[in-house]
Amino acid sequence: PAAPLSPQEHGLDFQRLLDASAYKERYRRDMIRWGEERRRADPGFFCRRVVEGVAQPVWVVSDTRRLSDVEWFRDVYGDAVQTVRVVATEETRKRRNWVFVSGVDDAESECGLDQGVAFDWVITNDGDELALGEQLETLLQSLRHRL
């Protein structure tokens, strides 16, 4: 996740915002609004915070929320970037206690990358540990070859 700036600024418990609790849901809309304000003022704000002081031969970008984030990494790091999208069926997500919330789950922060992005890797995580492991091993082998 991006640096926990908003939680700190607002006195929120960052760790509790990472789970699927009612606590997170209570603040989720406000956090999205705060993030949108930051991005409008500076589209690279969150990306720069994540990479601050870090150098890597390969960047695995797996949890961006906007096309502008993916573009930022590709512009700054070029071929060193490998984008990864993790997908699960709606049925699987519901089994994991996900419930659609209008105005939140249909906002750009949640579905802005559902179309128009060519990911380098798409990993399916529907609960089949063997299939997930095989996909991750293939990804890791590819990354090792890039080093």
Side-chain angles (χ1 to χ4, degrees):
L5 300 174
S6 177
Q8 289 173 349
E9 291 175 7
H10 296 96
L12 301 176
D13 182 334
F14 179 66
Q15 291 304 313
R16 291 189 66 198
L17 293 172
L18 297 177
D19 62 26
S21 66
Y23 181 87
K24 174 185 176 179
E25 292 305 317
R26 184 174 338 133
Y27 297 107
R28 193 167 166 208
R29 221 179 276 260
D30 291 335
M31 296 294 291
I32 291 170
R33 189 175 314 113
W34 177 86
E36 295 298 332
E37 291 169 5
R38 292 287 180 161
R39 280 182 177 85
R40 273 193 294 281
D42 177 4
F45 176 80
F46 291 105
C47 297
R48 279 193 310 281
R49 295 291 299 190
V50 169
V51 302
E52 197 170 83
V54 180
Q56 297 293 327
V58 176
W59 285 94
V60 177
V61 181
S62 65
D63 194 27
T64 59
R65 299 300 179 121
R66 311 277 185 310
L67 179 58
S68 61
D69 295 341
V70 173
E71 290 172 340
W72 186 90
F73 274 95
R74 286 180 173 158
D75 288 347
V76 172
Y77 295 106
D79 291 338
V81 171
Q82 289 288 285
T83 55
V84 179
R85 180 174 179 101
V86 179
V87 298
T89 64
E90 191 168 325
E91 178 182 302
T92 297
R93 296 171 71 200
K94 286 179 179 177
R95 271 196 323 267
R96 294 174 178 158
N97 297 322
W98 173 78
V99 176
F100 178 84
V101 175
S102 182
V104 174
D105 291 309
D106 52 0
E108 182 183 11
S109 66
E110 301 302 315
C111 58
L113 296 176
D114 287 352
Q115 298 176 35
V117 178
F119 289 92
D120 298 304
W121 298 88
V122 177
I123 305 293
T124 301
N125 183 9
D126 277 324
D128 182 336
E129 291 183 32
L130 183 60
L132 179 60
E134 290 171 355
Q135 293 172 84
L136 294 174
E137 184 57 37
T138 302
L139 170 59
L140 288 172
Q141 287 177 13
S142 176
L143 294 174
R144 286 184 193 114
H145 288 291
R146 295 173 140 267
L147 296 177

